[in-house]
Amino acid sequence: MSKRHASSKHHWPVRVYYEDTDAAGVVYYANYLKFCERARTEWLRALGFDQSRLRDEHSVVFVVRSVEAEYLRGAVLDDSLVVESHLAAVNRVKMLFAQKILRGDEVLFESNVGVVCIDWNKKKPASLPNEIRALLEILK
């Protein structure tokens, strides 16, 4: 695993499809969390850390422990959005991500997501692999 693009912020584009909307034609509230989940995964991938390899080689996975969310404006069909992810804090076991979803310069959604590292076999909290923690410490 090697870092390909180390940056403290990550931007991931999202297009709103029909399947993302509710009966009112706006993005269903839970889908903002899905967009953020995908952005965190892609940010780790951009850093060179594939989650399948982390599970297979280090026996660790990441799970969401907490979410704080603010829904500010609604996105609609065909909107072009960007999920901005920033690592706000990291310790031995936990990462805190500050994420925003934007339509141009307009902030639609803000969240703080606490993610913990879990030993895949024991199903208990585990230390982040040293290579990941060292890189994340530099980025925050």
Side-chain angles (χ1 to χ4, degrees):
M1 289 181 275
S2 64
K3 60 182 180 180
R4 290 189 301 215
H5 178 68
S7 175
S8 63
K9 279 191 180 174
H10 181 261
H11 296 87
W12 187 69
V14 175
R15 172 74 63 188
V16 175
Y17 295 106
Y18 185 77
E19 67 192 29
D20 299 319
T21 63
D22 61 15
V26 298
V27 171
Y28 182 66
Y29 80 97
N31 288 335
Y32 292 95
L33 297 172
K34 287 181 181 182
F35 297 158
C36 287
E37 174 77 25
R38 292 174 191 163
R40 289 191 308 276
T41 297
E42 293 303 326
W43 182 68
L44 284 172
R45 189 185 318 275
L47 293 175
F49 302 111
D50 177 277
Q51 292 192 58
S52 294
R53 285 183 55 207
L54 288 172
R55 183 195 60 225
D56 295 344
E57 294 174 12
H58 296 278
S59 259
V60 297
V61 296
F62 300 118
V63 298
V64 171
R65 166 118 167 117
S66 63
V67 175
E68 179 183 308
E70 292 284 333
Y71 298 85
L72 305 170
R73 300 254 190 261
V76 296
L77 182 65
D78 288 330
D79 274 353
S80 179
L81 309 175
V82 172
V83 181
E84 179 183 284
S85 303
H86 171 74
L87 182 67
V90 63
N91 66 28
R92 189 177 59 80
V93 174
K94 184 177 179 181
M95 299 173 283
L96 179 65
F97 291 91
Q99 294 184 280
K100 295 180 184 178
I101 298 180
L102 302 109
R103 180 177 47 216
D105 293 332
E106 183 180 25
V107 179
L108 307 181
F109 176 84
E110 293 181 317
S111 67
N112 290 306
V113 181
V115 176
V116 295
C117 186
I118 300 290
D119 181 300
W120 175 246
N121 298 316
K122 297 176 184 173
K123 309 298 188 257
K124 292 184 177 183
S127 294
L128 287 163
N130 290 334
E131 185 179 356
I132 294 176
R133 191 168 66 230
L135 178 59
L136 297 180
E137 285 288 345
I138 293 168
L139 295 179
K140 74 172 178 110

